[in-house]
Amino acid sequence: MTINNSVLDMLQLNALNNAIQNTLFLEIGKAQGVKGSRSEVNSALYSVMDQFQVSSKKDLKLAIQEAGGSYEAMLRQLRNDIIASKVRQSIVNSVEMTDLDVKKMGKKYRIKELFLS
């Protein structure tokens, strides 16, 4: 695929949209007291270790430091991602399609008429 200005703009807009959504989900999660468990953080940590191709937390700390980052900031970001993910998943799980929804999916509606009293 050729990357041109419109593709770059679309990618940037998509990234901004995702960042806004994650920030909102994180704030909702913090307000509701959602936490990331130690096992969830460790699971995410193993994924990061795979990306850095290291096998221990000590090696990961060194690799992150060499890349100019902070291990503590990375852990904070992992926890925040877990909280945002839990809130997103709870919202998705709360949406339920009924048989009537499935029946009416193929119909077209005039939105303006739906909101007139």
Side-chain angles (χ1 to χ4, degrees):
M1 176 180 201
T2 304
I3 297 183
N4 55 30
N5 286 340
S6 65
V7 172
L8 286 175
D9 289 344
M10 194 169 59
L11 288 171
Q12 288 176 338
L13 185 59
N14 217 3
L16 176 62
N17 184 37
N18 287 338
I20 291 170
Q21 281 182 4
N22 284 338
T23 301
L24 291 173
F25 290 146
L26 176 61
E27 291 304 316
I28 291 168
K30 284 182 175 180
Q32 293 177 348
V34 176
K35 303 278 185 202
S37 70
R38 181 181 297 259
S39 64
E40 290 169 324
V41 172
N42 283 336
S43 177
L45 196 57
Y46 288 125
S47 174
V48 174
M49 288 168 65
D50 286 343
Q51 290 174 8
F52 278 88
Q53 298 175 346
V54 296
S55 58
S56 70
K57 288 182 183 179
K58 182 179 178 182
D59 292 339
L60 179 61
K61 286 179 185 181
L62 290 173
I64 290 173
Q65 190 176 21
E66 287 173 5
S70 162
Y71 180 78
E72 289 76 22
M74 186 264 319
L75 279 178
R76 219 176 10 261
Q77 185 61 49
L78 284 178
R79 283 189 189 97
N80 289 345
D81 289 347
I82 290 167
I83 292 169
S85 177
K86 283 183 173 182
V87 172
R88 176 184 285 115
Q89 194 59 44
S90 70
I91 291 170
V92 167
N93 290 341
S94 69
V95 176
E96 184 179 314
M97 282 189 70
T98 65
D99 292 336
L100 184 59
D101 294 328
V102 173
K103 273 185 190 176
K104 294 190 176 191
M105 254 184 357
K107 294 186 178 182
K108 293 183 180 182
Y109 298 94
R110 294 184 182 162
I111 299 297
K112 191 167 65 171
E113 292 176 7
L114 291 174
F115 294 108
L116 294 177
S117 58

